[in-house]
């Protein structure tokens, strides 16, 4: 079989202006969702390690449900399913942000729990023995240390969520993949365009890794 | 040793028939103990005998199931039902741990000022002034801006001592303060503790440093299986132990 295909550099480069408008959507869904997911993660992660059984239980349930189901199903449920309950349509962008929020929130809950539990018992005891209340010991001693340890896994989760937003082309948000599909429909240069789409994702995730590595080098992270 | 007749004053710590269990393990059995202000009490005993558990009950890091504990007029109740008294006791009782437990995310100085600022509500300038004085006293003043991980073990433990002293405690607890240290650093920590004892601080010390115990203790307590088996002056306990288990323990540890 002879390969007659030739890579069309002009088509690849020419697609970029048509793809760029997708980047703000991709970033907005990712980081908007992650910001809310972080808040959810702090709340549910802390509930998860509460000494009270009736607080731990619902938190555990939330985490299991949203880690155990695909983010694609979650966004379809929110975009197509919830309107039936609410009696009105949901904006696709809102649905995308909500899906990333509840999905990353479940994973971030576990990151928060792990971070807090990784702090040696002696830290809390030293705080308490100095007369700090339990809340003060948490706020001034445990949380700042836990947060540093959480940053690498949080960065990891951010990269996963950024990539997850590519699935949301199915609900028609104009993110990167969607822009690519629209453009390919008129030019039929799938190989070139999807390569460019992939490179743009790489550019986003690499920049994020770079920021994280810089933080780590400066000793603001980890230990 | 250094204190004029302190036995006449009212006890600062009183443990009354204290019993503690870890599950079915009876770790503290009917502990009765009174300590008067200025007294230096050294607790010795084999690993697992309940030394740490005993002193951790004094500042409520461990709950107990029966009996009662009074520290400077504040009462700790069984099952951790002590309420505000617990908080009061902890502000008045300092503790130094085997593993130092310094706060790694705070500078040496901030380790020392944290509790005075957050608990005693001192302003930062005043707290810093106190911290600088204490760090100088334990010989760390030139390291105040460093982080704990940049210090040697002996230096870290001296910072931990300064951190506890910054709350102006009326009683200090030490749980094997030199056991995690390289041998060449043990002396500097013991020196700082000796100085504190000479100034009249009330201290309860768990240690395996028998030479130090003999020198600074007003009273030595030997515990075995969660019970106080024998107590007395260092001379009595070290040189003329009455109980067979004390004799066995001492012959084992004093050999080296
Ligand atoms: N959190 C815990 N849960 C269950 N058992 C415990 C716990 N802490 C201590 N114990 C047990 O209680 C007993 C007394 O422990 P403790 O730490 O007071 O001994 P110790 O005299 O300080 O020993 P060491 O010299 O090794 O420090 C030991 O048998 C120990 O295994
Ligand atoms: Mg111990």
């Amino acid at each position: 079989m002879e390969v007659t295909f030739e890579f069309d550099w002009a088509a690849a480069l020419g697609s970029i202006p048509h793809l760029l408008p997708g980047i703000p959507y991709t970033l907005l869904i990712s980081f908007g969702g992650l910001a809310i997911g972080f808040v959810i993660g702090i709340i549910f992660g802390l509930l998860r390690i509460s000494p009270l059984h009736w607080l731990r239980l619902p938190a555990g349930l939330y985490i299991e449900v949203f880690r155990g189901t695909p983010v694609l199903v979650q966004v379809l449920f929110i975009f197509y399913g919830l309107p039936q309950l609410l009696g009105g349509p949901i904006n696709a962008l809102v649905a995308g942000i909500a899906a990333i929020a509840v999905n990353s929130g479940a994973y971030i809950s576990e990151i928060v729990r792990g971070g807090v539990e990784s702090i040696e018992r002696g830290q809390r005891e030293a705080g308490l023995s100095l007369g700090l209340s339990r809340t003060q010991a948490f706020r001034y001693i445990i949380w700042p240390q836990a947060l540093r340890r959480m940053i690498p896994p949080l960065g990891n989760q951010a990269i996963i969520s950024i990539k997850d937003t590519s699935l949301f082309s199915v609900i028609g948000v104009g993110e990167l993949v969607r822009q690519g599909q629209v453009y390919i429909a008129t030019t039929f240069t799938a190989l070139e365009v999807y390569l460019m789409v992939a490179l743009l994702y790489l550019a986003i995730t690499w920049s994020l890794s770079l920021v994280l590595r810089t933080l780590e080098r400066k000793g603001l992270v980890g230990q | 040793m250094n204190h004029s007749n302190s036995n006449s004053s009212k006890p600062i710590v009183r443990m009354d028939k204290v019993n503690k269990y870890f599950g079915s393990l009876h770790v503290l059995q009917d502990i009765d103990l009174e300590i008067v202000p200025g007294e230096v009490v050294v607790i010795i005993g084999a690993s697992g005998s309940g030394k740490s558990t005993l002193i951790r009950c004094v500042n409520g890091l461990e709950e107990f199931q029966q009996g009662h504990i009074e520290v400077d007029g504040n009462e700790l109740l069984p099952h951790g039902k002590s309420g505000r008294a617990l908080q009061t006791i902890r502000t008045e009782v300092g503790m130094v741990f085997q593993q130092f437990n310094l706060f790694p995310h705070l500078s040496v100085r901030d380790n020392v000022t944290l509790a005075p600022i957050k608990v005693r509500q001192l302003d930062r300038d005043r707290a810093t002034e106190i911290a600088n004085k204490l760090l100088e006293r334990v010989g760390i003043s030139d390291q105040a801006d460093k982080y704990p991980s940049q210090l040697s073990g002996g230096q870290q433990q001296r910072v931990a001592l300064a951190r506890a002293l910054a709350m102006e405690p009326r009683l200090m607890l030490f749980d094997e303060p030199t056991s995690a240290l390289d041998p060449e650093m043990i002396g500097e920590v013991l020196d700082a503790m000796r100085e504190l004892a000479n100034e009249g601080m009330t201290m309860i010390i768990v240690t395996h440093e028998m030479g130090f115990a003999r020198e600074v203790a007003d009273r030595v307590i030997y515990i075995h299986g969660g019970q106080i088996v024998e107590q007395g002056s260092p001379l009595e306990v070290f040189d003329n132990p009455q109980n067979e288990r004390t004799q066995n323990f001492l012959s084992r540890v004093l050999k080296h």
Side-chain angles (χ1 to χ4, degrees):
Chain A
M1 199 170 94
E2 196 180 333
V3 180
T4 56
F5 182 82
E6 233 173 85
F7 190 82
D8 185 346
W9 283 104
L13 296 175
S15 71
I16 291 180
H18 299 271
L19 298 177
L20 287 181
I23 289 184
Y25 284 102
T26 294
L27 292 180
L28 184 62
I29 300 170
S30 312
F31 288 101
L34 282 164
I36 301 168
F38 188 52
V39 175
I40 294 176
I42 291 174
I43 295 168
F44 282 80
L46 296 183
L47 289 181
R48 189 90 176 81
I49 44 182
S50 154
L52 303 173
H53 177 70
W54 54 273
L55 288 177
R56 275 200 313 270
L57 205 71
L61 193 69
Y62 160 75
I63 293 167
E64 288 306 325
V65 166
F66 285 92
R67 280 199 319 178
T69 53
V71 68
L72 180 59
V73 174
Q74 288 162 13
V75 80
L76 291 173
F77 181 87
I78 293 170
F79 187 66
Y80 293 112
L82 275 192
Q84 289 183 15
L85 286 177
L86 303 176
I90 290 181
N91 176 289
L93 186 64
V94 173
I97 292 175
I100 293 296
V102 293
N103 183 266
S104 70
Y107 287 96
I108 294 172
S109 299
E110 287 294 270
I111 294 173
V112 168
R113 181 183 67 79
V116 170
E117 283 182 341
S118 77
I119 305 303
E120 303 67 32
R121 196 172 66 139
Q123 289 291 306
R124 180 167 182 273
E125 290 182 347
L128 295 181
S129 78
L130 287 165
L132 297 176
S133 67
R134 283 185 298 180
T135 321
Q136 286 176 320
F138 182 80
R139 177 165 164 205
Y140 300 115
I141 297 166
I142 296 167
W143 183 250
Q145 296 184 59
L147 198 57
R148 283 170 204 220
R149 291 189 190 175
M150 280 157 50
I151 287 177
L154 282 175
N156 208 26
Q157 180 57 44
I159 287 172
I160 291 170
S161 290
I162 289 168
K163 293 185 297 180
D164 281 348
T165 63
S166 66
L167 297 166
F168 297 174
S169 56
V170 296
I171 59 166
V173 222
E175 47 69 64
L176 262 173
V177 170
R178 178 75 183 170
Q179 301 291 347
Q181 289 172 337
V182 170
Y183 185 63
I184 291 164
T186 61
T187 62
F188 305 102
T189 49
L191 181 83
E192 288 81 0
V193 175
Y194 281 134
L195 184 67
M196 287 301 116
V197 169
L199 289 177
L200 288 173
Y201 275 109
L202 260 186
I204 297 171
T205 54
W206 264 357
S207 321
L208 187 59
S209 304
L210 205 69
V211 172
L212 289 167
R213 267 206 302 277
T214 313
L215 284 178
E216 233 159 302
R217 236 197 336 270
K218 291 195 173 156
L220 296 169
V221 165
Q223 288 179 354
Chain B
M1 332 214 77
N2 337 296
H3 324 292
S4 54
N5 189 16
S6 50
N7 285 348
S8 58
S9 42
K10 190 171 166 295
I12 184 170
V13 176
R14 196 160 63 212
M15 299 181 87
D16 190 12
K17 293 260 172 300
V18 171
N19 282 276
K20 171 163 181 75
Y21 303 79
F22 280 120
S24 59
L25 184 66
H26 198 171
V27 228
L28 296 181
Q29 306 184 16
D30 282 334
I31 299 288
D32 286 319
L33 180 61
E34 287 194 355
I35 294 170
V36 294
E39 200 177 4
V40 175
V41 173
V42 168
I43 300 176
I44 59 172
S47 177
S49 56
K51 307 179 296 294
S52 299
T53 308
L54 173 60
I55 67 167
R56 287 160 58 85
C57 279
V58 174
N59 68 347
L61 287 183
E62 298 288 355
E63 293 177 2
F64 51 95
Q65 279 80 34
Q66 290 149 24
H68 103 174
I69 302 178
E70 205 180 295
V71 182
D72 204 19
N74 302 287
E75 195 179 2
L76 286 175
L77 301 173
H79 304 289
K81 298 208 170 73
S82 316
R84 288 227 43 91
L86 178 61
Q87 195 81 16
T88 311
I89 286 172
R90 283 175 175 166
T91 60
E92 291 184 10
V93 178
M95 185 159 190
V96 171
F97 301 83
Q98 181 174 350
Q99 301 298 338
F100 328 138
N101 295 347
L102 291 180
F103 308 133
H105 62 300
L106 299 178
S107 71
V108 162
R109 186 182 288 110
D110 289 346
N111 262 272
V112 182
T113 59
L114 179 71
I117 291 173
K118 301 302 177 192
V119 181
R120 294 252 189 252
Q121 256 108 43
L122 294 191
D123 63 59
R124 182 165 290 280
D125 289 345
R126 179 82 189 103
T128 304
E129 200 179 303
I130 293 172
N132 289 344
K133 237 179 244 149
L134 285 168
L135 288 171
E136 180 164 351
R137 171 168 155 192
V138 296
I140 313 277
S141 46
D142 46 340
Q143 323 272 348
D145 295 309
K146 290 190 179 171
Y147 283 85
S149 61
Q150 295 170 291
L151 304 189
S152 73
Q155 290 172 326
Q156 289 190 48
Q157 195 60 302
R158 284 182 282 150
V159 173
L161 179 59
R163 177 177 70 175
L165 293 178
M167 288 296 286
E168 300 182 330
R170 307 222 28 218
L171 165 71
M172 281 292 300
L173 309 174
F174 295 84
D175 192 359
E176 301 198 30
T178 58
S179 295
L181 296 175
D182 292 336
E184 72 270 20
M185 293 172 183
I186 292 175
E188 62 196 57
V189 171
L190 294 182
D191 285 345
M193 290 171 61
R194 188 179 292 115
E195 200 177 307
L196 194 61
N198 288 337
E199 287 168 14
M201 176 64 78
T202 314
M203 298 160 76
I204 309 179
I205 305 168
V206 174
T207 186
H208 295 300
E209 295 293 328
M210 297 302 164
F212 176 75
R214 185 189 282 273
E215 180 195 342
V216 303
D218 296 310
R219 180 161 37 137
V220 175
I221 294 178
Y222 171 67
I223 81 172
H224 177 93
Q227 289 175 312
I228 296 180
V229 167
E230 181 155 0
Q231 56 179 314
S233 70
L235 240 65
E236 290 166 339
V237 175
F238 287 126
D239 297 337
N240 191 15
Q242 300 300 306
N243 191 291
E244 195 185 330
R245 282 177 299 202
T246 320
Q247 292 161 4
N248 288 338
F249 173 76
L250 287 173
S251 70
R252 263 184 290 125
V253 297
L254 292 178
K255 235 182 310 190
H256 350 274

